[in-house]
Amino acid sequence: QVHVVESGGGLVQPGGSMRLSCEASGSWVTMNLMAWYRQSPGKGRELVARITREGRTNYMEAVEGRFTISRDSARNTVDLQMTSLKPEDTAVYYCNVNAYNWQTGSKDYWGQGTQVTVSS
């Protein structure tokens, strides 16, 4: 079992910055792909950014150049630095961790979500 906890989030003005953090914990598991998703009212959950153990990253087009994902594999943490925020970035942001255990195989785990509101 992997426990995923997000921190950060809140209210920020358009053009501002915010950092989200996520920590995954579990025994006898290897954290593989780590990612941030978001979901706004009336829309499905969408991938914002992801990062492999080797540090390869992918971003959704809407945040390319504004958001940066990073991870510390030794601490099993993944951060999302968000800059030049726009009202359309308003959403609940979820941390997703793909973890491998030799008994259960590869599974996805989710955090509880953190609200980001971009508004003046």
Side-chain angles (χ1 to χ4, degrees):
Q1 184 68 24
V2 174
H3 191 49
V4 179
V5 178
E6 300 116 338
S7 60
L11 176 64
V12 63
Q13 292 188 340
S17 299
M18 180 176 286
R19 190 176 188 90
L20 304 181
S21 296
C22 170
E23 181 174 5
S25 59
S27 300
W28 307 108
V29 292
T30 299
M31 310 298 179
N32 293 321
L33 194 66
M34 303 182 85
W36 287 95
Y37 285 73
R38 71 185 184 187
Q39 187 168 18
S40 52
K43 295 181 67 176
R45 194 171 295 189
E46 55 186 1
L47 174 65
V48 176
R50 61 186 179 186
I51 184 168
T52 68
R53 286 182 57 83
E54 297 77 21
R56 290 191 299 270
T57 59
N58 293 100
Y59 297 90
M60 69 182 300
E61 185 176 352
V63 308
E64 187 82 50
R66 300 188 297 120
F67 291 11
T68 302
I69 189 170
S70 60
R71 70 184 284 173
D72 183 335
S73 292
R75 296 173 54 235
N76 291 326
T77 60
V78 58
D79 291 347
L80 185 69
Q81 179 67 46
M82 305 182 290
T83 63
S84 302
L85 283 160
K86 305 175 181 180
E88 50 264 43
D89 294 318
T90 296
V92 178
Y93 284 70
Y94 296 90
C95 180
N96 170 268
V97 177
N98 180 268
Y100 176 81
N101 171 275
W102 71 273
Q103 290 182 308
T104 60
S106 183
K107 292 180 66 175
D108 280 334
Y109 298 89
W110 294 88
Q112 78 284 358
T114 184
Q115 176 70 46
V116 173
T117 302
V118 184
S119 175
S120 55

